[in-house]
Amino acid sequence: MRAKLTKALSLLLSLAVVCLVCFTAPVTLPADAVSSEVSQKVAELDEKIAASQEKIKENEAKKKEAKQSADTIQESVDLLQTQINAYNSKIDVLNNQIASLNKSITNTQEKIAETQADMAVQKEQIAQTQALYADRLRAMYITGNVSNLEILLEADNFRDFLNRMEMLARISKHDNAIIKQLQDEIAVFEETEATLKKNQEKLQSSKSEIENSKAMQQEAKSQVVGAKTDLDQKVNSLNTYINGLDENSEELNNYIAKARAQQQAYMNQVNANLAVTASTGNGAYSGTFIWPVAGSGTYVSSGYGSRWGSFHYGIDITGGGGSAAIVAAAAGRVTIASNTCSHNYGKNYNCGCNGGYGNYVVIDHGNGLLTYYGHMARAIVGAGTYVQQGQQIGNMGSTGYSTGPHLHFEVRVNDGTSRSVAARNPMNYF
């Protein structure tokens, strides 16, 4: 009878265990499944954010290269503009010289015209004098006095002869003097005209030389202007290209901002889910934590508190060769184990994985006390697993927002979804 009772109690105990398992499984597994699904969505956004950030970096590199090219070309443009300014100055000087020569040529032409007019007057006077002399000779011929000899032979006496001779000499001398004076004046005018025309030819020759020099300067300037125009177009094209890169980067930054907002919404969902599924309490722990990184040579590289203009909600532990084993600081149930981040290398920016945690594990130690293990190379435990204190849960890495291999160790008390409210100084638990 006693054996039957013992057998019955054993059967009831087994049935109770089965019922407990059946009762608790629907509560915890869907929660883990929800966290996994949300983590996957966050990871997908991480990949897109990382790709966008990489594209922005490429844009910056291309922009820098294009800017350097534009600056180099602009230096050449400025040099060409200096040459153009020099050509313009030379052309202005030549234009002034040409204007001065044109004025001199005009003045010379006016003087030539005046000289030619004066010569015309003198020639007219010579013609008139010659006509008068001819009229006198004609009158003498008509009266029969066709020669000076006849005039002299007709003298009545010697005194008359002398008078006639003196009269003829005076007439001849007077006429010759007038003609000689007029001829001398014409000779002067002709010499003046020749000199003016010679000067005019020199002025025209100088003007032609200067115009040829001006044409050469203009041709050289035209070539420089053409080269500058080509370079200006290249600079404009590069500036357009740079503006396009800026616009693309701005679009990517806007996308990243929206993706981060969506990530935050997902993380809030994870935290809310974690708050529902995690234990509750004041976070008191009866024992002490062990150091979460196995091996020697590890140290705290960044403590809990203000850092870089913000607040650091955990401690960073580095050393141990950069791939040391990460162990559970205390026994508990794994509520989150994410291996969705593939960016396991030092970065100077946030690759975005899991809100910056990278691959991470969260362990619930009961009484509302939770520990976070971030930036791991990989987690080797799964959600829902119960781990013992000191059990390895992964390896140190550099995933998420990390500039090098280290463990971000964080302690929270499950009294809200806000990190700033839930976080505690981990050093108080060792």
Side-chain angles (χ1 to χ4, degrees), residues 155-185:
D156 294 335
N157 49 48
F158 185 68
R159 181 182 293 276
D160 187 27
F161 176 80
L162 291 176
N163 290 334
R164 285 175 179 263
M165 181 177 288
E166 184 180 359
M167 179 190 67
L168 288 173
R170 288 180 177 178
I171 292 172
S172 177
K173 184 178 180 180
H174 178 265
D175 290 343
N176 288 335
I178 293 175
I179 292 172
K180 178 67 169 60
Q181 180 183 356
L182 293 173
Q183 287 176 340
D184 289 344
E185 291 178 355

Side-chain angles (χ1 to χ4, degrees), residues 46 175 238 250 316 428:
D46 286 339
D175 290 343
L238 286 171
E250 184 178 358
D316 290 341
N428 296 331

Side-chain angles (χ1 to χ4, degrees), residues 42-113:
V42 171
E44 290 174 359
L45 287 173
D46 286 339
E47 293 294 332
K48 293 178 181 179
I49 288 173
S52 297
Q53 288 175 327
E54 191 63 29
K55 181 62 177 176
I56 289 173
K57 287 179 64 178
E58 292 176 5
N59 286 348
E60 286 301 313
K62 292 177 180 178
K63 179 181 174 181
K64 182 178 179 181
E65 183 179 355
K67 188 69 168 61
Q68 290 174 343
S69 298
D71 290 343
T72 300
I73 294 174
Q74 187 60 50
E75 290 178 0
S76 299
V77 169
D78 294 340
L79 179 61
L80 292 177
Q81 185 60 55
T82 300
Q83 294 178 5
I84 290 171
N85 293 339
Y87 281 126
N88 285 334
S89 297
K90 291 179 181 179
I91 290 171
D92 288 341
V93 170
L94 293 174
N95 282 332
N96 291 334
Q97 292 177 355
I98 290 171
S100 178
L101 287 172
N102 283 333
K103 185 176 181 180
S104 297
I105 290 171
T106 300
N107 291 336
T108 301
Q109 289 173 339
E110 290 176 353
K111 289 180 180 179
I112 290 173

Side-chain angles (χ1 to χ4, degrees), residues 197-211:
K197 286 185 176 180
K198 190 175 182 179
N199 290 339
Q200 182 182 19
E201 290 176 358
K202 289 182 179 179
L203 292 172
Q204 290 286 6
S205 177
S206 297
K207 177 183 176 183
S208 296
E209 291 178 0
I210 293 174
E211 285 179 338

Side-chain angles (χ1 to χ4, degrees), residues 300-316:
V300 176
S301 59
S302 184
Y304 178 90
S306 298
R307 183 183 70 169
W308 307 336
S310 60
F311 197 91
H312 189 216
Y313 291 101
I315 60 173
D316 290 341

